[in-house]
Structures are given as C-alpha cells and as structure tokens.
Amino acid sequence: MKRIVVLGATGSIGRSTLEVIARFPDRFRVVGLSARRNVELLAKQARRFRPEAVAVTEEGALGRLKILLGDNKIRILFGEEDLSALAGEVEADVVVNALVGAVGLKPTLAAIGAGRDVALANKETLVMAGDLVMRKAREQGVRILPIDSEHSAIWQCLRAGRGEEMRRLILTASGGPFWGKEGSEEATVEEVLAHPIWQMGQKVTVDSATMMNKGLEVIEAHWLFGIPVERIEVVVHPQSVVHSLVEFRDGSLIAQLGWPDMRLPIQYALTYPERLPGVWKPLDLAEVGALSFYRPDVTKFRCLALGYEAAREGGTAPAVLNAANEVAVNAFLEGRISFGEIARIDEAVMARHRALPDPSLEEVLEVDRWARCVAGEWVEGGRV
Ligand code: MG
C-alpha cells in the first residue's frame, strides 16, 4: 500500500490525482491533503479519503475548515511552514506536489529531506532550484517522478534507450490561444483563459498563452534529465497529441502519444514502473487525422526566449524570471496590466539581475523576494 500526500488537492492536478487514487483503493492510501483556501472541497475530500492530516495556507480558511471537519480526528495544519510539515512529517511513500508557484519549493525539499519520493507537478521547484533539488534527491536516494505531461512523455520515451544515448529532447507546445494569430497584446483575461486544448488552472493557462510555460518547462527538463539546454528543442504542435519526444544518437525519434488528459501522467508517476489500466478513451489516430508541427516564433513569443535565456544564464536567473512572471501574471488576472505587459515586465526584471552561480536555498529565496518587489514596482508604476 502506497501512502500518499497530495499538496494542492483542490486544484486541477490535485483533483485528477484523487480521481486516479480512488480507482485503486487496494494500492493507494491518502494520508495528507492540502489546499490554499477552498475549504469546502478540501473538507469533502477529507471526509472521503480519511487522511491523517490536512493543511490550509490562506488566512481565514482555518476556522471554517475546523467547523466543516468537526471532531473527526484529522490533524489540521495551517500556513506555509505547516505545508512543509505535511510533506515531511506525515509518514508517506510519495508526496504529490501539485502546488502552483514558488510556494511549492520548500515542501518539495521537506519531502526529499524526509526520504519521500516526489511526484512533481510543481515545475517552479526545479525552475527555481533545480540543481539543489536534484542533488538533494540523489543524496537522499529518492526519486523525482514527473507529472508535467511533456516530462512524463520524455520519461516514458527514455525507456527505449539509455540516458547517455539521448541526443536531443523535443518538447511539444500547443501554442495556446494565440498561435498563428496577430495582435494578442491587448487580449482580455477571458480570451487568454480560453485555452484551445487543455483545461488547467489560471496561472498555467496564462503561461501557456505567453508560452512562458514552455520556457519554464525547458528549464525543468534540463534538471530532470540532466541534459544541456542547447539540446532541448521546442516544437509547436497545436493538436497536443504527441506529448514530447526523445531523439537518440542513432537518429531514432521516440514519441509518446495520447489524448490530452493529465490523469495518464499522474497515474504513471504513481504506479511507475508498472502500467495499470487507464479509464480514459484510447487514442484513435484516424480520428485525429493529421498531426502538425511548427517552429515557434520567439520574436512573438518573447517569454519562450526569456526561458531559454534564463536557462543559459543559470544560477539565480530562472528563479528571478519565475518570480517576476508570477507577479506579472497575477497583475494581468487582476486587470492591472495588459497581456503584452507580462513579457515586458519579465524581461525588464531579468535585465536588472546579475545571476549568482550555484545559489543556496537562502539566495534563491532572496532573489525571489527581490524580483517580486521589482516586478511589483513596474506593475504599480506602469514603467515598462
Ligand atoms: Mg506541461
């Protein structure tokens, strides 16, 4: 029986994770759940899965959760520090990190420190501190199991050859709602959130529209698979059926295909190295018809270029890009800046930073705070 903690249980990935877990009650047991503020859903999940502990991070959510759960012996934790306690102290085999944003880093480290495998949907963990996290995982002998669909695809493709035989990784990108369209600079929140293929949380949907998501995923792939960023390529594939590919040194390309459905990579991460039956519709190639691929336009999708630049610069640069982008995306969702300004703020904050090599956790958190502050000034002042 695998004991599982799900961080970010009420979000899109968290809900899909619980759906997968519920199908295999003789294999998985939920021992911890966390949410930011959706206490109604969290309480419902807690009553169904009977974890040992639950955590909420947003002020004001705690009292309501206590009332909703009544006295049914579930330990209730509160705040970001307790999120790390949930990841590290509750006895578990796997911690699923489905948190959104920089807040996911410390719980990942707590889980690794406690010797838990981490099923990782929180790409920011590796973007901010990939070197540190992968090194710690090796020291502790724990696995980082990718949930991000592209990285799960690569991980699956790598079963076709050895690590030293891989020549290139090819990440596919849907291109988001503005692929092949002009004039997205002033797009509304509603237009940006109308992703043509994937149903996802708001942050990653906006990142998908700017293609920052793919920029962050390049960095994530670099750390996960230990391959130089020069050997990671992005190709736009609007159907999102080919989830990513590995090119081996003999020139053979291995791809993983499926309908866009996050339950597959989640289940694979939880059951690895086994494959269990899936409930989703199998891919029908004739129904898909044609698959198309294009080179991304990095002058239009500036955020993708910024992701590559941060990856090449290394050190603290990706953490700065990530923090600036989180502030900019939030400001856009709150209607305070235009869609086009997201990339300009990201670029402006990056330009003011000189990357520190091999940063410690403290240094990463320090530049994260600094970048948020600078990005916040730009949002306030409209100086981009
Ligand atoms: Mg992805």
Side-chain angles (χ1 to χ4, degrees), residues 123 148-151 198 200 204 213-214 217 220 262:
K123 62 193 76 176
D148 210 345
S149 62
E150 296 79 358
H151 304 73
W198 292 97
M200 307 175 287
V204 57
N213 185 48
K214 214 49 56 177
E217 287 181 355
E220 184 186 10
M262 286 309 294

Side-chain angles (χ1 to χ4, degrees), residues 12 24 98 106 110-111 130 142 168 219 226 251 292-293 333 352-353:
S12 165
F24 304 102
K106 281 189 187 169
V142 303
R168 274 191 316 155
I219 303 169
S292 44
F293 301 91
L333 286 169
R352 278 187 54 180
H353 179 66

Side-chain angles (χ1 to χ4, degrees), residues 43 173 188 223 334 371:
T188 64
W223 291 117
E334 287 167 0

Side-chain angles (χ1 to χ4, degrees), residues 63-367:
R64 179 102 187 100
L65 181 65
K66 280 182 174 160
I67 293 166
L68 284 169
L69 283 181
D71 69 317
N72 53 32
K73 300 193 181 76
I74 298 173
R75 203 173 134 205
I76 299 177
L77 304 164
F78 170 69
E80 285 185 23
E81 290 310 314
D82 274 2
L83 213 50
S84 293
L86 187 64
E89 287 169 23
V90 175
E91 194 54 51
D93 301 294
V94 186
V95 173
V96 176
N97 186 340
L99 297 166
V100 178
V103 67
L105 174 59
K106 281 189 187 169
T108 298
L109 288 169
I112 294 171
R116 324 274 188 248
D117 286 341
V118 179
L120 194 64
N122 177 260
K123 62 193 76 176
E124 293 84 352
T125 286
L126 292 176
V127 169
M128 292 174 74
D131 191 21
L132 207 81
V133 168
M134 295 309 285
R135 207 168 48 221
K136 259 204 139 179
R138 275 193 300 274
E139 280 165 18
Q140 292 286 330
V142 303
R143 288 183 297 203
I144 306 293
L145 312 159
I147 284 183
D148 210 345
S149 62
E150 296 79 358
H151 304 73
S152 174
I154 289 168
W155 189 35
Q156 294 179 57
C157 295
L158 279 172
R159 291 178 84 164
R162 289 201 299 269
E164 67 268 24
E165 294 166 343
M166 83 184 151
R167 184 155 70 192
R168 274 191 316 155
L169 302 183
I170 302 169
L171 296 178
T172 54
S174 69
F178 307 123
W179 173 253
K181 289 184 189 150
E182 287 306 314
S184 60
E185 283 271 302
E186 298 300 323
T188 64
V189 170
E190 204 184 7
E191 286 163 341
V192 170
L193 291 182
H195 195 278
I197 305 275
W198 292 97
Q199 294 287 324
M200 307 175 287
Q202 289 196 339
K203 164 70 167 51
V204 57
T205 305
V206 177
D207 283 348
S208 211
T210 60
M211 286 192 78
M212 176 59 82
N213 185 48
K214 214 49 56 177
L216 301 178
E217 287 181 355
V218 167
I219 303 169
E220 184 186 10
H222 160 65
W223 291 117
L224 264 177
F225 304 109
I227 186 168
V229 64
E230 296 75 26
R231 292 203 271 140
I232 306 173
E233 198 173 290
V234 170
V235 65
V236 174
H237 167 47
Q239 296 86 8
S240 294
V241 163
V242 177
H243 296 308
S244 278
L245 313 90
V246 175
E247 184 187 278
F248 289 97
R249 61 188 176 196
D250 58 359
S252 193
L253 271 181
I254 305 290
Q256 188 256 335
L257 284 72
W259 293 117
D261 187 330
M262 286 309 294
R263 291 174 300 176
L264 196 155
I266 291 166
Q267 181 170 309
Y268 187 72
L270 294 180
T271 65
Y272 176 84
E274 267 185 279
R275 286 186 187 272
L276 295 184
V279 280
W280 37 87
K281 191 170 79 153
L283 185 67
D284 179 342
L285 285 173
E287 190 183 329
V288 176
L291 297 173
S292 44
F293 301 91
Y294 307 91
R295 267 179 238 296
D297 173 359
V298 284
T299 48
K300 179 177 169 187
F301 292 98
R302 190 62 201 130
C303 287
L304 177 60
L306 289 174
Y308 270 104
E309 281 166 30
R312 273 192 291 266
E313 225 173 304
T316 47
V320 165
L321 176 61
N322 176 67
N325 186 60
E326 278 187 30
V327 171
V329 169
N330 251 332
F332 168 69
L333 286 169
E334 287 167 0
R336 297 164 66 203
I337 61 170
S338 71
F339 181 64
E341 276 171 311
I342 297 174
R344 289 201 286 280
I345 288 175
D346 291 349
E347 186 159 16
V349 177
M350 283 276 287
R352 278 187 54 180
H353 179 66
R354 183 142 307 155
L356 291 168
D358 305 317
S360 65
L361 177 61
E362 264 325 303
E363 286 169 329
V364 165
L365 297 174
E366 177 57 39
V367 300

